[in-house]
Amino acid sequence: MADMTVAYSPSHGLGEEQSIWFKLTPLLNQENPMQVLMALSDKYAGVIPINLKNQRIVLLSEPEHAERVLVSNADNYTKYFDGLRPIFGRSMITIDGALWQKIRTPQQAAFHPNMFEEYFPYLMSAIDSKMARWAKFASTGETIEMVEETWTLAAEMVCKALFDREMPFNPHFVFKQVKTYTDVMNHKSIRLKNVRGELVEITGEDTAKAMEVWHSVPDMVMGANVLEHREKTLLTMLQEAEADPDFPEFDHRQVIDEMKQYLWAGTETTALTLAWSLYLLSQHPEAMERIRAEARAVCGDADPQWNQVQQLAYTRQVIQETMRLFPPIWGLIRIAAGDDDIQGHKIRAGDKVVILSYIAHHSPKFWTDPEKFDPERFAPERAKKRVKYSYLPFAAGKRACIGGALSQIENTLALVQLLRRFTPEYVGPKPAKIHATVTLCPKGGLPFRIRALS
Ligand code: HEM
């Protein structure tokens, strides 16, 4: 379809002309970008080929497409991370093949469900800090930006639970800086520059500063107050891999890059989910009341205990329904290593394919009344009937999110605790609009006021 003519260059920056993000800008910079993609997907039967001068981008939106690219022929598709290197370095999320497997293996144990009980008090402690902050907001009545609030919560959870450290940086400042970089629509001319001895892509001084701040964060975390000197944390696992003489690839740089990955991939997504869920709940007070009632029934007036988390089923369903309506990662990008045939559509080596999770999540083929907020869709009996790969908040196959289960526990606990003490009131324009960058953000943020419950 669209014939956007650009020259090819191997150095892709996030908002540079060669980057996929730049190429998708005409589609994404719309009033309602997802509606545009859905209309195109309908028109082209789920496959939207964008033919550019030197390459093709193929947007795919059917569950069978996701199955082919992410699962049954996953080895033919490599990760696309150009432009995001300054954020993620060479962490495992960006690597493919045998090296990816080697790098992921020593970290896997940190995400085994038997670790979650150990993390539980640290998650609760981070929520306590947030509640103390919200108590102040409730007394001043000031307007707050919810994504910032939830992002700082998610970051504190990662620092405390996974790294055994106090959060040593000001997340409001740091994440604003990172957002400067990832907010791709604002960046059309990213260049390479030397920041602390590393070549990174940046747009002028502001972004250089942003990247300098970001690069300093892992060292700050490493040097922060240790909470309990726990023996087995994600951080000690990374350090053990570094010390392993049989694992030369896992050097100090790898440890730093893995930390960056967790501090971004493990926080922004979780934060967006919680912020969107509070937005949805503010529009559906009956669901908010149901969460409070569930909390009372399960925990009485006390804080939740670890063995009660599973029973907070409706709250978890709210989180799942939020990720259906607002999947933080709305598209999964891959590069085809070799030719492929996806349901009769020819994919050529070098094509970039994008699995549009958002479209499957909103398709009437898989969901009754898809635009309706209905957490009951995720009740166990109904969830069993779901079409496989029609719900992909954490992707699928071997490259699926490592932290999906953990994030749902984090957000379930956060919702229960915050809503038992406060009513967050959304005070922005309705309905909130989407800004589709690397993640699915609210356009202009999600302003809230916090009211304390008596
Ligand atoms: C609601 C919360 C979250 C969402 C929606 C989410 C979503 C995703 C998705 C879609 C991917 C795959 C990306 C792709 O294939 O291109 C991914 C990968 C990943 N996520 Fe998450 N994520 C969440 C929370 C977390 C948390 C809490 C952590 C860790 C603390 C985490 C760490 C990672 C890592 C390390 C990968 C790369 C895995 C690999 O390549 O082997 N994520 N995430």
Side-chain angles (χ1 to χ4, degrees):
M1 38 156 298
D3 198 1
M4 292 173 260
T5 310
V6 292
Y8 178 76
S9 149
S11 76
H12 295 182
L14 192 60
E16 246 180 20
E17 290 195 357
Q18 292 78 14
S19 143
I20 190 168
W21 295 107
F22 182 81
K23 287 170 183 160
L24 293 178
T25 301
L27 284 177
L28 300 180
N29 229 356
Q30 308 279 332
E31 185 63 11
N32 194 334
M34 293 300 138
Q35 292 295 340
V36 175
L37 286 177
M38 285 200 294
L40 285 170
S41 173
D42 258 4
K43 185 166 172 196
Y44 293 96
V47 180
I48 314 171
I50 302 180
N51 293 308
L52 300 158
K53 193 173 170 195
N54 292 311
Q55 61 172 292
R56 287 198 318 162
I57 302 173
V58 187
L59 307 180
L60 301 166
S61 45
E62 294 290 324
E64 294 85 356
H65 305 155
E67 191 278 335
R68 178 80 183 167
V69 173
L70 302 176
V71 186
S72 59
N73 202 20
D75 288 342
N76 188 47
Y77 294 92
T78 61
K79 283 285 192 109
Y80 174 86
F81 260 89
D82 291 357
L84 287 173
R85 295 266 173 219
I87 308 273
F88 287 107
R90 297 200 190 105
S91 57
M92 70 165 159
I93 199 166
T94 70
I95 307 173
D96 291 291
L99 182 59
W100 160 77
Q101 184 73 65
K102 238 182 134 185
I103 302 273
R104 177 153 163 157
T105 303
Q107 308 181 45
Q108 193 72 51
F111 296 92
H112 191 279
N114 64 15
M115 291 295 285
F116 296 163
E117 182 170 4
E118 197 176 300
Y119 300 153
F120 175 73
Y122 303 100
L123 307 182
M124 293 296 281
S125 146
I127 298 168
D128 284 347
S129 319
K130 185 65 32 184
M131 291 201 292
R133 196 172 144 89
W134 280 23
K136 273 200 274 164
F137 293 144
S139 65
T140 61
E142 66 199 273
T143 301
I144 58 167
E145 171 42 50
M146 190 52 83
V147 180
E148 270 188 34
E149 287 300 310
T150 55
W151 204 338
T152 58
L153 172 60
E156 191 168 346
M157 285 174 162
V158 166
C159 286
K160 287 184 163 166
L162 297 177
F163 298 150
D164 195 23
R165 296 288 192 279
E166 289 291 357
M167 183 168 60
F169 54 93
N170 176 347
H172 291 276
F173 174 69
V174 169
F175 292 131
K176 236 184 217 138
Q177 300 282 323
V178 182
K179 215 59 202 153
T180 311
Y181 185 84
T182 58
D183 201 352
V184 286
M185 301 314 167
N186 297 334
H187 295 286
K188 307 276 190 256
S189 60
I190 292 173
R191 295 182 301 276
L192 285 175
K193 245 192 183 175
N194 200 314
V195 175
R196 286 162 64 106
E198 281 185 53
L199 277 185
V200 294
E201 297 145 318
I202 38 170
T203 56
E205 291 312 309
D206 281 355
T207 328
K209 180 87 181 57
M211 284 304 103
E212 181 139 22
V213 169
W214 181 240
H215 282 250
S216 68
V217 167
D219 283 344
M220 265 196 264
V221 172
M222 210 99 79
N225 281 345
V226 181
L227 290 175
E228 307 252 0
H229 294 278
R230 281 179 284 147
E231 266 176 35
K232 274 265 165 240
T233 64
L234 177 59
L235 187 53
T236 63
M237 289 173 198
L238 298 175
Q239 287 166 330
E240 272 166 32
E242 181 189 358
D244 182 350
D246 297 328
F247 201 171
E249 300 93 333
F250 213 120
D251 54 13
H252 189 63
R253 156 86 182 259
Q254 195 67 40
V255 175
I256 297 289
D257 285 354
E258 297 302 314
M259 289 176 78
K260 282 190 203 153
Q261 158 192 259
Y262 288 111
L263 287 164
W264 195 71
T267 60
E268 192 192 8
T269 46
T270 306
L272 283 168
T273 303
L274 184 58
W276 281 120
S277 73
L278 290 168
Y279 163 72
L280 287 164
L281 289 166
S282 72
Q283 309 306 299
H284 297 275
E286 70 295 345
M288 199 183 284
E289 281 312 321
R290 206 166 147 190
I291 288 179
R292 290 175 176 142
E294 177 170 86
R296 264 194 309 277
V298 173
C299 322
D301 287 334
D303 285 341
Q305 302 299 303
W306 169 245
N307 61 9
Q308 294 170 327
V309 176
Q310 276 306 316
Q311 296 167 54
L312 299 167
Y314 179 76
T315 311
R316 198 167 49 248
Q317 286 169 216
V318 167
I319 301 291
Q320 291 167 326
E321 175 69 341
T322 303
M323 291 187 293
R324 182 185 71 80
L325 285 168
F326 297 105
I329 305 292
W330 56 273
L332 303 157
I333 312 181
R334 298 289 189 272
I335 306 172
D339 294 350
D340 195 11
D341 184 309
I342 302 185
Q343 302 275 304
H345 299 279
K346 300 283 174 231
I347 302 291
R348 293 193 296 262
D351 284 353
K352 298 204 171 75
V353 301
V354 184
I355 304 288
L356 295 169
S357 318
Y358 184 99
I359 292 190
H361 287 196
H362 287 253
S363 169
K365 283 192 278 186
F366 314 119
W367 310 92
T368 316
D369 206 354
E371 295 310 320
K372 186 175 165 205
F373 172 68
D374 177 12
E376 284 303 326
R377 299 175 201 279
F378 289 90
E381 280 314 302
R382 277 176 71 184
K384 264 193 231 155
K385 297 185 190 135
R386 192 164 65 225
V387 173
K388 220 170 167 193
Y389 307 113
S390 61
Y391 181 62
L392 295 166
F394 301 116
K398 61 184 179 180
R399 301 307 297 267
C401 178
I402 204 170
L406 176 61
S407 80
Q408 288 179 81
I409 293 170
E410 292 176 339
N411 279 341
T412 299
L413 290 171
L415 270 190
V416 161
Q417 290 296 78
L418 292 169
L419 296 181
R420 288 205 302 176
R421 286 198 43 200
F422 305 100
T423 300
E425 291 170 346
Y426 173 70
V427 293
K430 291 179 200 168
K433 293 210 174 98
I434 283 171
H435 180 41
T437 71
V438 182
T439 48
L440 197 78
C441 301
K443 197 175 204 159
L446 290 175
F448 272 77
R449 275 198 213 106
I450 304 298
R451 205 158 44 78
L453 289 177
S454 45

